[in-house]
Amino acid sequence: MKSNSYTIKKAIYSIGILLQILSINQQAQAQHKTIDQKVNAVLKQMTLVEKIGQLNQYNDDWQATGPVTLDSTKAEQVRNGMIGSLLNCVGTKRTRKWQEIAMQSRLKIPLLFGQDVVHGYKTTFPIPLAEACSWDLPAMESAARVAAVEASASGIHWTFAPMVDIARDPRWGRVMEGAGEDPYLGSKIAYARVKGFQGKNLGDTNAVMACAKHFAAYGAAIGGRDYNSVDMSDRLLWEVYLPPFKAALDAGAATFMNSFNDLNGIPATGNRYLQREILKGKWGFKGFVVSDWGSIGEMINHGNVKNEYEAALSAITAGSDMDMESRCYKNNLTQLLADNKINISLIDDAVKRILKKKFEMGLFEDPFKFCNAQREEAALNNTTHTANARAMAAKSIVLLKNENQLLPLSKNLKKIAFIGPLAKAVKQNKGFWDVEVPGVDSTFIVSQWQGLQNKVGINTQLLYAKGCDIEGDDKSGFDEAIAMANQAEVVILSIGERRDMSGEAKSRSNIGIPGVQEELLEALLATGKPVVVLINAGRPLVFNYTADHAPAILYTWWLGSEAGNAIADVLFGDYNPAAKLAMSFPRTVGQIPIYYSHFNTGRPATNDNDRFYNSSYNDLSIYPKYAFGYGLSYTSFEYSGLTLNKKKMKATETIQVSLTVSNTGQYDGEEIIQLYLHDKVGSLARPVKELKDFAKVFLKAGEKKTIQFFINQDKLSFYNQLLQRVAEPGEFELMIGASAEDIKLKDSFELIK
Ligand code: BGC
């Protein structure tokens, strides 16, 4: 009896749960429907001018990131419902002003405020490429979250980030903005960043819409020249350049931005294949696509359209929903419609996509939701954000060299000479793509000098000399620098690029350390003092002299507002560096493009003397200066005991891989363990290795841990000649490495039918 009543109770309970689930689903559906219905209701009331207005995005009056069209009638246009979105308009005061004007329009459709919040808002985080070297997905997600919390409190609804372009050419200045060369790592990071920006729910007050950009293949510009053409096989596109976009979509990215480049002759902005077939077709993207700055009009320069009329036709047909700054839609869509070149359904679809996001953001309910000055004040002065930025910065620093364990430095040193043009620099630390927040000056940025001062005690004296400028050939400061070095026990030298040498339109054919900075290093090394070099840059630089002669090198990139504190944390061992390069570092510019996942070719070079072999220059090593995945720690790790729970798997099965990693050194630390696969025989040639998993593990000194990975069909799949994603039966080599070159353990397994 007892058990019967128990069964009945259980059944009632289960039905209850089921009903609850059903009702949650129904509610969700109802809500979904409601938004669609609301969108349709608004659409029905809209005139053609108002519809086209929603597809228009203008720059506000300052902070331009492209050629500006002066337009004194902007306010009038907003009032007439002729503008759907503004960019480069930040702060609660300014966004409120514009939103108030939008509320005077007939239908009161709120404006969207978009901004390049790329690596932080007021609190600047490391440039994205630096963060990528942390391989720390939760940390990157949380960095994006902080950026969203600050930006949303300051009136911004939408960030033009993350940039998820794979980049294999460090001459291209925008490598600083992405996650490096690898599609697997790039996809994981894209996912984490979108989640971070958008938070739990797009409707939350502190969520900003993400924008996966630049769709697509922008990072493969020929010769690394920004905005240049891209010529690429479909296989490469699908295998390397598209996966991070797909990951961003899977994470729920609300918007995509297309790109300036042409892809195999068709500008991305007017590319149907990319936008209609892949993004909105095959992938089912429900958000909207914004053009890049003026890129609709720029199709005339590309030469595949004659005038703005044709440019607008090409872009709207291809699936570009919002026109950033070119005015081609505003000036031509009405005529295109009148000429029967397009159907109103094309415009309606674009408008609906945009309105839907405005509804999802809750802007129709409260257009001033993001314009609360008190909230802004609190969010922009939140000390947890600073702590977060400091931790992220420390995680992004790559230890490239540490001869005789020069680092970490002792806190008991009596005199340290801190030398170099970047030692006392303040704003430089922010890197490219920082945001000028109204009313905020640079005083909150911790310079490297300040960071060091904060760290050392009263018994340590810090000496300073600039030594030289970043650029130019003036060596008149060398003597002072040498004199300081001679007095000190240790020299720290901070050199590198200027922050605006990497970034948009910052391609360089010479990526060496500019000016006489390496000569300054030479002069300092001649004093016989140990020199620790900090290299500040937005891209992999070529610095063979430094690499070969300096005893210790930290690649610090641009680390943001907490740069100084984070660098000091690493220099003195309060944080043990763990970052690993997300891009291969070339030996010379002539070695570019260089990436680890190349093909074997018919004549694979295995060493620098293989002269009749591919991949080998007669005057250069076949290896990069520093490999993808490379980075040192103050401690050492040993890898052992690789086991696979089976050596043959069917496509439906999984192989469990285990190994042990031991911290064999003196310091606690983290290691990034990398799993690479090589498909030995495929219907197409396959890369010599491809990253397919990784784990970042913390180990106390002397501690060891068992690490597990799982190999499934997905990790074995690639795009075959017909662009079908397949896992082909055969043998796979499995490599566990501390970098793409430093393979510690190997085994193999077979995929069977
Ligand atoms: C860049 C985009 C950026 C846009 C708006 C363009 O020049 O390519 O990445 O989002 O400007 O600032």
Side-chain angles (χ1 to χ4, degrees):
M1 271 314 276
K2 205 173 171 192
S3 84
N4 260 356
S5 80
Y6 173 74
T7 316
I8 292 166
K9 269 189 202 154
K10 206 173 149 192
I12 293 172
Y13 177 74
S14 306
I15 291 169
I17 295 268
L18 196 68
L19 287 175
Q20 265 179 30
I21 292 173
L22 282 176
S23 118
I24 290 168
N25 278 342
Q26 276 160 1
Q27 274 171 27
Q29 272 172 15
Q31 199 168 344
H32 193 68
K33 260 195 187 147
T34 321
I35 285 196
D36 281 344
Q37 282 169 347
K38 285 179 186 167
V39 166
N40 284 328
V42 175
L43 190 78
K44 260 195 204 136
Q45 301 174 57
M46 292 171 83
T47 63
L48 182 58
V49 171
E50 285 163 340
K51 286 181 182 177
I52 295 171
Q54 284 307 302
L55 314 187
N56 238 336
Q57 185 186 51
Y58 284 9
N59 187 54
D60 195 1
D61 295 336
W62 86 106
Q63 286 200 0
T65 40
V68 182
T69 311
L70 290 173
D71 195 337
S72 57
T73 63
K74 224 178 274 173
E76 208 41 45
Q77 292 183 55
V78 171
R79 212 168 274 120
N80 291 330
M82 292 165 75
I83 299 179
S85 171
L86 286 177
L87 78 149
N88 291 330
C89 172
V90 301
T92 51
K93 238 174 148 178
R94 199 160 176 93
T95 51
R96 177 176 285 278
K97 181 204 111 180
W98 279 111
Q99 201 67 295
E100 276 169 355
I101 301 176
M103 289 306 109
Q104 294 162 21
S105 66
R106 196 175 71 89
L107 295 174
K108 301 191 183 349
I109 300 176
L111 285 168
L112 270 181
F113 298 107
Q115 177 71 29
D116 294 282
V117 182
V118 173
H119 52 114
Y121 183 66
K122 180 205 163 190
T123 309
T124 313
F125 281 76
I127 55 167
L129 181 59
E131 283 189 3
C133 294
S134 73
W135 300 49
D136 196 323
L137 304 172
M140 283 180 264
E141 180 172 339
S142 127
R145 189 86 288 277
V146 169
V149 166
E150 291 188 3
S152 63
S154 200
I156 293 157
H157 307 133
W158 177 21
T159 174
F160 304 126
M163 185 191 99
V164 303
D165 296 308
I166 294 298
R168 295 177 162 184
D169 188 335
R171 291 171 298 182
W172 189 50
R174 295 194 86 166
V175 298
M176 53 79 49
E177 210 180 322
E181 76 181 50
D182 184 67
Y184 182 83
L185 181 60
S187 299
K188 293 282 174 196
I189 294 175
Y191 190 95
R193 287 189 169 141
V194 170
K195 287 281 178 204
F197 286 128
Q198 297 195 168
K200 289 200 186 77
N201 212 319
L202 259 198
D204 292 347
T205 320
N206 61 17
V208 296
M209 293 197 296
C211 181
K213 71 186 188 186
H214 305 82
F215 198 64
Y218 182 42
I222 295 171
R225 282 157 49 206
D226 208 0
Y227 315 127
N228 206 5
S229 296
V230 174
D231 200 298
M232 163 180 300
S233 70
D234 257 354
R235 184 204 60 80
L236 192 62
L237 178 71
W238 279 91
E239 201 157 292
V240 174
Y241 288 84
L242 291 183
F245 286 100
K246 180 63 169 51
L249 182 99
D250 291 343
T255 71
F256 270 54
M257 184 185 290
N258 54 40
S259 54
F260 289 125
N261 58 287
D262 72 273
L263 176 62
N264 306 330
I266 303 175
T269 305
N271 199 312
R272 270 189 73 98
Y273 174 57
L274 287 175
Q275 296 171 95
R276 285 259 180 245
E277 282 181 40
I278 299 176
L279 182 60
K280 291 178 174 174
K282 200 173 165 66
W283 290 356
F285 174 60
K286 297 282 180 282
F288 69 88
V289 179
V290 63
S291 78
D292 204 345
W293 184 296
S295 68
I296 298 182
E298 286 176 14
M299 284 196 283
I300 303 166
N301 290 339
H302 277 285
N304 72 320
V305 296
K306 203 163 49 194
N307 47 31
E308 293 200 346
Y309 175 88
E310 285 188 6
L313 173 62
S314 167
I316 193 91
T317 316
S320 205
D321 300 305
M322 187 181 274
D323 175 359
M324 182 192 286
E325 266 292 328
S326 92
R327 275 49 169 184
C328 289
Y329 280 1
K330 174 183 167 239
N331 297 333
N332 295 282
L333 288 181
T334 310
Q335 195 55 45
L336 282 165
L337 210 54
D339 296 345
N340 273 330
K341 295 279 187 195
I342 55 171
N343 190 291
I344 186 70
S345 61
L346 264 190
I347 295 180
D348 283 353
D349 177 59
V351 175
K352 283 204 267 185
R353 285 170 181 270
I354 293 163
L355 291 181
K356 190 166 179 182
K357 292 300 158 201
K358 292 186 174 181
F359 271 111
E360 284 175 9
M361 293 290 290
L363 294 175
F364 275 94
E365 276 162 41
D366 180 3
F368 301 103
K369 187 173 163 187
F370 289 63
C371 302
N372 177 332
Q374 275 112 45
R375 187 182 139 212
E376 181 178 39
E377 170 78 18
L380 300 191
N381 292 292
N382 183 331
T383 48
T384 64
H385 295 180
T386 317
N388 210 315
R390 179 172 181 164
M392 187 71 246
K395 284 171 193 276
S396 307
I397 298 172
V398 190
L399 176 64
L400 292 180
K401 192 173 178 188
N402 194 18
E403 257 173 27
N404 303 323
Q405 297 253 304
L406 174 56
L407 291 173
L409 298 177
S410 155
K411 286 181 183 157
N412 297 323
L413 290 168
K414 294 277 171 285
K415 275 189 187 171
I416 300 173
F418 197 13
I419 294 173
L422 288 157
K424 281 199 172 174
V426 179
K427 224 174 151 185
Q428 292 288 345
N429 291 292
K430 291 178 89 182
F432 200 83
W433 284 121
D434 61 316
V435 187
E436 291 290 339
V437 180
V440 175
D441 59 21
S442 302
T443 47
F444 71 101
I445 302 166
V446 183
S447 71
Q448 298 173 14
W449 174 257
Q450 183 63 50
L452 223 63
Q453 277 189 325
N454 295 345
K455 181 65 71 181
V456 296
I458 40 165
N459 296 328
T460 307
Q461 196 186 344
L462 291 180
L463 308 170
Y464 167 76
K466 186 174 174 196
C468 63
D469 289 326
I470 293 173
E471 288 179 289
D473 52 11
D474 183 2
K475 298 186 197 166
S476 59
F478 278 27
D479 285 348
E480 188 198 4
I482 292 165
M484 292 301 162
N486 276 325
Q487 291 176 49
E489 287 149 276
V490 170
V491 178
I492 303 168
L493 175 66
S494 185
I495 55 177
E497 290 188 319
R498 258 194 347 259
R499 71 177 185 130
D500 61 358
M501 284 178 161
S502 298
E504 184 175 349
K506 305 292 181 215
S507 295
R508 287 175 65 200
S509 67
N510 175 356
I511 56 168
I513 295 186
V516 291
Q517 297 180 90
E518 282 196 299
E519 287 177 59
L520 175 62
L521 169 64
E522 196 178 347
L524 294 172
L525 288 172
T527 64
K529 300 287 175 164
V531 183
V532 179
V533 181
L534 310 177
I535 302 183
N536 305 265
R539 52 152 67 86
L541 292 174
V542 169
F543 48 94
N544 292 312
Y545 177 81
T546 307
D548 298 343
H549 295 90
I553 306 171
L554 289 169
Y555 212 79
T556 59
W557 309 99
W558 297 118
L559 294 172
S561 27
E562 283 294 304
N565 285 331
I567 289 172
D569 287 342
V570 169
L571 282 171
F572 291 91
D574 288 334
Y575 179 79
N576 182 356
K580 303 226 182 199
L581 299 174
M583 259 186 106
S584 309
F585 275 43
R587 290 170 185 269
T588 70
V589 166
Q591 215 180 17
I592 298 170
I594 185 162
Y595 48 93
Y596 80 90
S597 63
H598 55 82
F599 285 166
N600 209 30
T601 79
R603 292 188 173 194
T606 52
N607 66 63
D608 288 341
N609 300 319
D610 282 354
R611 287 299 168 223
F612 279 100
Y613 291 82
N614 197 345
S615 322
S616 158
Y617 292 107
N618 281 354
D619 56 354
L620 202 60
S621 164
I622 55 172
Y623 301 105
K625 192 74 186 171
Y626 298 107
F628 174 83
Y630 171 82
L632 301 173
S633 162
Y634 295 152
T635 192
S636 51
F637 298 100
E638 251 175 46
Y639 291 54
S640 61
L642 176 62
T643 47
L644 277 59
N645 74 335
K646 51 179 167 259
K647 299 284 281 216
K648 289 183 198 280
M649 70 177 264
K650 290 190 183 145
T652 50
E653 294 175 342
T654 302
I655 291 185
Q656 184 183 320
V657 178
S658 339
L659 67 137
T660 302
V661 178
S662 320
N663 181 342
T664 51
Q666 305 298 315
Y667 299 89
D668 299 349
E670 296 152 295
E671 173 70 330
I672 299 166
I673 300 134
Q674 301 155 42
L675 183 149
Y676 296 93
L677 291 179
H678 173 212
D679 186 347
K680 292 189 81 170
V681 183
S683 56
L684 297 176
R686 304 297 306 139
V688 291
K689 53 176 88 82
E690 292 175 281
L691 182 75
K692 290 293 175 183
D693 213 339
F694 62 87
K696 187 169 184 178
V697 187
F698 175 80
L699 293 164
K700 287 191 162 306
E703 194 186 2
K704 59 175 147 189
K705 274 185 187 159
T706 303
I707 315 297
Q708 283 187 339
F709 295 111
F710 295 91
I711 309 284
N712 56 18
Q713 184 188 8
D714 187 51
K715 294 202 186 308
L716 309 180
S717 304
F718 67 98
Y719 290 95
N720 68 10
Q721 218 173 357
L722 300 172
L723 288 184
Q724 296 154 332
R725 207 167 145 74
V726 292
E728 296 176 344
E731 198 187 346
F732 289 81
E733 212 180 344
L734 182 147
M735 292 155 273
I736 302 289
S739 82
E741 262 178 19
D742 186 10
I743 299 302
K744 305 282 192 190
L745 304 167
K746 269 189 185 181
D747 205 335
S748 63
F749 62 90
E750 198 184 335
L751 176 68
I752 52 172
K753 280 199 185 130

